[in-house]
Amino acid sequence: MADLATTYMGLKLRNPLVVGSSGLTNSVEGVIACEEAGVGAVVLKSIFEEEITAEVDGVVASGQTPHMHPEAADYVRTYGMENAVGRYIALVSDAKKAVSIPVVASIHCVSATGWLDFAKRVEIAGADALELNVFVFPSDPESDGRVNEQICIDAVRSVKDLASIPVAIKIGSFFSGLAHTAARLSEAGADAIVLFNRFMRFDFDLEKMELIRTGHLSSPEEMYPTLRWVSILAGQLECDLAATTGVHDGTAVVKQLLAGAAAVQVCSAFYRNGIDHAGVMLEELGSWMDSHGYASIADLRGKMSQETSANPASYERVQFMKGSEQKE
Ligand SMILES: Cc1cc2nc3c(=O)[nH]c(=O)nc-3n(C[C@H](O)[C@H](O)[C@H](O)COP(=O)(O)O)c2cc1C
C-alpha cells in the first residue's frame, strides 16, 4: 500500500489532504471530526479583520452609548477586538490540545500590518502554522495593481519577521502578473502559497430587484485554473504550493499532486458529502498510486508540472484554435 505521508511547509502530514478554512473548522468538535475522518491537517476558519471591525462598530453605533467620547469608543473598539481575538486564540489552543494533526490558524487581512501582534499570539497558542488570506478588492480605479500586490508581500514579510512558525499566503487569481507576484511572495519568505481562494458570488433577484448570494460551494469543473497554475509555478518557487478550489474526489487530488502541489485543500466536497468523504478520497488516492506504481507522494509530486514536460508551451495555451472545438 502506497505511503501517503508527506511534508507541507516543513510540517509532517500523514497525507496531503487538508480541510480548508471554513465553517468545518470553526469549532474544536469540527476539528476533531476532521482528524477522525483521516485528513492530514486542518486550516481553521479565518478570523476576519472586517468581521471584527463590523462587530465592534455595531456596538458603537447601536445607540447604547449615544454620547460616547472618542477615547471611550476606542476602548470599546479595542475591547470588542480583544473578545474576538480571545475567542480565536482559545479555539487554536483547544484544537491543538484535542488533535495530533497540524492545526493551521488563518487570518483574513485587508491591511498588511494590522494583525502582527495577533500572529505572534496564535503561535504562542500553539498553532503549527499561519495562513494569511489577503484580499484587497481591485475595484478602485485610483488604486494601482502594484499597491494591492505590495500589501500581500508586506503582510508576508512582516509576519515572517515576527513569527517563527511557517506562514502561507492564500491568494486569488486576480493578479495581472501572477507568476511574478508568486515569486515575490516566495522571496518575501512565504513558506507556501495557497491558490486559488474562491470568493463569494452574487446574482440578481429579478423580482425583488436585489442581490442574492449564490454558489456557496464549488463544482469539480472549477479546479482547472488551479491545476494550470500549480503546474506552471511548481519548480519555479522556493516555497510549497497548496491547491484549493474544485477538488471533489481522489482523482482530483492525484492531479493536483502531479501538477506539483504539496497539499490539497478541500471544503465544498466535505460540505456536500460529509467529512467522511475524506476517507473515500484518500482511498482513491492510495489505489491510484498502487495501480500506477508510486510508492510515496514524493515520487509523484510534480510529475506532470510544466517544468518536467516535453511540451511546456501546451501549459500556456489558452486560445481555442482551429479544430479544438470538435475535440470538445
Ligand atoms: C462556507 C465556507 C466558508 C469559508 N470560509 C473561509 C474562510 O474563513 N477563510 C478562507 O480563507 N477561506 C474560506 N473559505 C474558502 C475555502 O477555504 C476554499 O478556499 C474554497 O471553498 C475553495 O475550495 P473548495 O472548492 O474545496 O470549496 C470558505 C468556504 C466555504 C464554502
Side-chain angles (χ1 to χ4, degrees):
M1 182 71 183
D3 179 7
L4 301 188
T6 190
T7 56
Y8 172 52
M9 300 195 272
L11 303 172
K12 287 189 178 11
L13 269 53
R14 59 181 166 173
N15 63 66
L17 190 58
V18 174
V19 181
S21 177
S22 62
L24 298 164
T25 56
N26 70 358
S27 69
V28 176
E29 298 71 40
V31 171
I32 293 172
C34 294
E35 178 173 68
E36 287 174 356
V39 301
V42 292
V43 185
L44 297 179
K45 171 85 181 145
S46 304
I47 182 164
F48 277 62
E49 195 173 332
E50 309 118 300
E51 193 174 52
I52 293 163
T53 314
E55 182 185 306
V56 173
D57 286 349
V59 173
V60 176
S62 66
Q64 293 163 13
T65 48
H67 305 294
M68 192 182 277
H69 189 274
E71 274 179 30
D74 279 344
Y75 173 79
V76 170
R77 203 166 268 118
T78 310
Y79 173 74
M81 186 171 281
E82 265 311 303
N83 268 350
V85 167
R87 283 196 298 272
Y88 198 81
I89 295 290
L91 173 63
V92 172
S93 141
D94 294 346
K96 268 307 290 175
K97 283 182 209 136
V99 298
S100 54
I101 54 173
V103 172
V104 180
S106 168
I107 312 177
H108 176 273
C109 325
V110 288
S111 67
T113 51
W115 287 96
L116 289 182
D117 169 56
F118 181 75
K120 195 68 202 166
R121 290 179 64 185
V122 291
E123 178 174 343
I124 294 165
D128 294 284
L130 182 59
E131 188 175 285
L132 303 176
N133 167 358
V134 190
F135 185 60
V136 184
F137 203 80
S139 58
D140 178 1
E142 300 302 320
S143 182
D144 190 312
R146 278 172 293 192
V147 173
N148 295 345
E149 180 187 300
Q150 197 60 45
I151 290 173
C152 298
I153 292 158
D154 290 345
V156 168
R157 191 168 284 130
S158 342
V159 176
K160 280 298 287 182
D161 281 348
L162 257 189
S164 43
I165 51 175
V167 176
I169 178 156
K170 184 178 190 181
I171 58 170
S173 56
F174 301 127
F175 291 97
S176 54
L178 188 56
H180 179 257
T181 304
R184 293 190 64 206
L185 290 169
S186 177
E187 283 158 21
D191 296 279
I193 301 175
V194 183
L195 60 162
F196 292 113
N197 203 354
R198 182 175 187 275
F199 302 110
M200 189 79 83
R201 291 142 190 237
F202 69 70
D203 195 359
F204 289 165
D205 181 323
L206 294 181
E207 297 312 315
K208 294 184 180 160
M209 298 293 275
E210 58 188 34
L211 298 189
I212 44 173
R213 287 182 179 180
T214 187
H216 289 45
L217 301 180
S218 69
S219 62
E221 292 71 36
E222 291 179 50
M223 94 155 180
Y224 299 111
T226 299
L227 189 67
R228 181 193 291 269
W229 280 101
V230 171
S231 305
I232 289 172
L233 295 175
Q236 289 199 45
L237 308 173
E238 289 294 313
C239 66
D240 279 343
L241 296 170
T244 179
T245 293
V247 176
H248 284 243
D249 56 24
T251 310
V253 176
V254 171
K255 290 178 184 174
Q256 296 290 3
L257 295 171
L258 286 169
V264 181
Q265 298 191 2
V266 174
C267 289
S268 293
F270 297 150
Y271 272 105
R272 281 222 166 85
N273 307 304
I275 190 67
D276 290 340
H277 185 60
V280 177
M281 293 174 79
L282 290 168
E283 178 65 37
E284 287 167 352
L285 168 63
S287 307
W288 187 90
M289 288 171 67
D290 287 340
S291 60
H292 292 77
Y294 290 100
S296 73
I297 297 291
D299 288 346
L300 77 102
R301 190 192 288 173
K303 277 281 183 297
M304 287 195 69
S305 66
Q306 183 181 35
E307 189 190 32
T308 59
S309 171
N311 187 9
S314 58
Y315 288 71
E316 295 176 24
R317 191 163 293 145
V318 289
Q319 306 294 353
F320 291 98
M321 289 186 296
K322 205 171 171 209
S324 56
E325 295 87 348
Q326 285 96 317
K327 290 182 195 148
E328 285 295 306

